[in-house]
Amino acid sequence: MRIQEFQKRIEEIYFERDSARGLAGTHMWFCEEVGELTRALRRGQRDELEGEFADVLAWLSTLASIAGVDLQAAATGKYAAGCPRCRETPCNCG
Ligand SMILES: [Zn+2]
């Protein structure tokens, strides 16, 4: 599944509810999920980690949708050519 397909899938599942909640409220949920990911990283349990990464990506996707951002286009536009600052791969920024 590509980033664009994932964002569309998350829209199908959650967009109505998340957009009604709005950007600020949904951003709070996103931050809470990032906190859960942080705890999972500390504990280092593999199955828990994968779930938390998936949740953070899902909440990031729904935030992008509410903000009208195409995540795949944004990510590709910024990083496909390498580091956005030095344009090198790997990054050579001091
Ligand atoms: Zn760089």
Side-chain angles (χ1 to χ4, degrees):
M1 193 182 272
R2 293 174 178 274
I3 295 172
Q4 201 162 48
E5 292 163 345
F6 183 78
Q7 185 172 0
K8 191 168 189 303
R9 188 72 188 115
I10 295 299
E11 282 178 13
E12 289 164 354
I13 303 171
Y14 298 116
F15 186 75
E16 196 174 328
R17 189 173 62 195
D18 289 350
S19 63
R21 183 191 303 113
L23 200 54
T26 302
H27 183 264
M28 286 182 69
W29 277 101
F30 169 71
C31 291
E32 185 159 324
E33 287 299 333
V34 171
E36 288 179 14
L37 173 61
T38 303
R39 284 189 290 280
L41 284 167
R42 280 207 189 114
R43 286 193 288 264
Q45 286 179 320
R46 189 83 208 164
D47 53 336
E48 190 186 6
L49 256 185
E50 289 178 359
E52 295 303 338
F53 270 107
D55 288 345
V56 168
L57 189 58
W59 283 101
L60 181 70
S61 296
T62 207
L63 269 182
S65 295
I66 295 170
V69 170
D70 178 332
L71 260 188
Q72 182 166 309
T76 301
K78 188 154 188 180
Y79 290 100
C83 170
R85 273 180 68 199
C86 68
R87 293 285 167 197
E88 290 188 35
T89 302
C91 169
N92 200 27
C93 293

